[in-house]
């Protein structure tokens, strides 16, 4: 049994703050993030556990022209998000059901409400969704891929790696937004980043400094109370 160490309590507060302050930021300042900081975040994140230490992640970091080329390729494709083909993997169920439908709607209504977008203003909703593809103006956009021969366990490992990135970013005063929206546009992204066919595009992620003046960043999601999803047994 570990002896009491007063430092542990302080460390817990620091770690908890990084986790609790992590959220999906949807408007960023243009301030650039230095490559050394990006490398440090990714190196720390790579300490995520993975089955037999396979480390299934691969990351394409884009800035400037290459990031713009991704945005242009997607936005000029003529493929609306609601028509995009999730042919590599499906992120969401074919049909939503409770309690997930209610949670999803609350998230959408909350975000669009913060932006002053009404429930029938479809064009404004689409325009906001398209901001995914400019990484919400973040100076850094990352695209994540995985070897398609790997199985579901490696996808679980990948999630822990992505979370590590987001928490490590918070420890450095940065914010992120994980973006599955990029996955259906792998055909547009592949030639820009020279991604081989054996890699599946998992998601994208915006990285940068939060623009606190934007109303969308004032939106906060809630979490279901523990008693609704935790069972203790002895």
């Amino acid at each position: 049994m570990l002896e009491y160490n007063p430092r542990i309590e302080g460390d817990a507060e620091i770690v908890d703050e990084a986790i609790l302050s992590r959220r999906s930021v949807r408007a960023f300042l243009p301030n650039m993030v230095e490559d050394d900081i990006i490398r440090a975040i990714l190196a720390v994140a790579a300490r995520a556990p993975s089955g037999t230490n396979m480390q299934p992640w691969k990351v394409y970091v884009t800035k400037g022209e290459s990031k713009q080329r991704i945005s242009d390729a997607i936005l000029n494709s003529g493929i609306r998000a609601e028509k995009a083909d999730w042919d590599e993997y499906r992120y969401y169920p074919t049909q939503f059901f409770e309690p997930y439908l209610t949670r999803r709607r609350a998230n959408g209504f909350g975000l669009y409400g913060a932006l002053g977008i009404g429930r029938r203003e479809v064009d404004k909703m689409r325009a906001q969704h398209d901001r995914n593809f400019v990484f919400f103006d973040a100076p850094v956009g990352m695209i994540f891929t995985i070897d398609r021969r790997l199985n579901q366990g490696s996808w679980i490992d990948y999630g822990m790696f992505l979370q590590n990135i987001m928490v490590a970013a918070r420890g450095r005063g940065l914010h992120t937004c994980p973006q599955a929206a990029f996955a259906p546009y792998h055909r547009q992204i592949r030639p820009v980043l020279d991604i081989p066919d054996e890699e599946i595009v998992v998601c994208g992620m915006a990285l940068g400094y939060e623009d606190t003046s934007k109303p969308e960043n004032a939106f906060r999601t809630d979490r279901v109370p523990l008693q609704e999803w935790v069972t203790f047994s002895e």
Side-chain angles (χ1 to χ4, degrees):
M1 185 175 183
L2 289 174
E3 295 181 3
Y4 173 72
N5 183 343
R7 179 186 166 189
I8 292 176
E9 187 172 340
D11 288 348
E13 291 178 0
I14 294 170
V15 174
D16 288 355
E17 175 59 23
I19 294 171
L20 291 171
S21 64
R22 185 225 60 83
R23 54 193 169 80
S24 294
V25 163
R26 294 180 174 88
F28 290 84
L29 296 170
N31 307 45
M32 185 48 66
V33 181
E34 297 297 327
D35 286 352
D36 286 349
I37 295 176
I38 300 171
R39 290 189 180 97
I41 289 171
L42 294 174
V44 169
R47 296 305 306 176
S50 61
T52 63
N53 199 32
M54 291 196 297
Q55 304 170 65
W57 37 79
K58 188 164 185 180
V59 188
Y60 296 81
V61 180
T62 72
K63 299 187 296 182
E65 183 180 344
S66 66
K67 184 167 70 70
Q68 185 62 53
R69 286 170 59 204
I70 292 173
S71 300
D72 292 343
I74 295 174
L75 293 173
N76 295 333
S77 68
I79 304 172
R80 298 293 329 165
E82 62 269 24
K83 300 293 185 181
D85 187 7
W86 287 79
D87 59 339
E88 295 276 63
Y89 78 96
R90 296 196 65 85
Y91 192 92
Y92 295 110
T94 303
Q95 184 171 352
F96 281 92
F97 52 93
E98 296 299 346
Y100 312 108
L101 176 61
T102 296
R103 295 174 189 171
R104 173 180 170 85
R105 284 175 172 170
N107 184 73
F109 293 154
L111 173 61
Y112 292 133
L115 287 162
I117 298 174
R119 297 187 182 186
R120 299 183 185 277
E121 295 182 290
V122 177
D123 288 343
K124 290 183 179 180
M125 291 182 182
R126 284 175 172 168
Q128 174 59 28
H129 187 273
D130 281 350
R131 283 186 46 73
N132 272 285
F133 307 123
V134 296
F135 295 93
F136 297 110
D137 297 325
V140 181
M142 293 181 282
I143 297 295
F144 300 88
T145 69
I146 189 171
D147 191 306
R148 66 177 65 252
R149 294 168 295 180
L150 295 175
N151 218 321
Q152 291 172 325
S154 291
W155 287 73
I156 295 171
D157 299 339
Y158 217 119
M160 292 184 279
F161 169 67
L162 293 171
Q163 174 73 355
N164 271 4
I165 292 174
M166 293 182 277
V167 173
R170 289 301 304 125
R172 292 161 174 81
L174 295 159
H175 273 284
T176 56
C177 185
Q179 300 164 275
F182 284 98
Y185 293 93
H186 62 93
R187 290 182 180 84
Q188 286 71 40
I189 298 170
R190 287 183 190 282
V192 176
L193 299 179
D194 197 24
I195 299 174
D197 289 340
E198 61 264 25
E199 295 177 21
I200 294 176
V201 172
V202 176
C203 66
M205 185 182 292
L207 172 71
Y209 296 95
E210 178 187 9
D211 186 344
T212 57
S213 71
K214 300 298 185 180
E216 55 265 50
N217 286 338
F219 171 61
R220 298 290 186 274
T221 57
D222 59 11
R223 291 297 184 267
V224 177
L226 263 65
Q227 59 267 27
E228 294 189 24
W229 53 273
V230 177
T231 301
F232 285 91
S233 60
E234 295 182 3

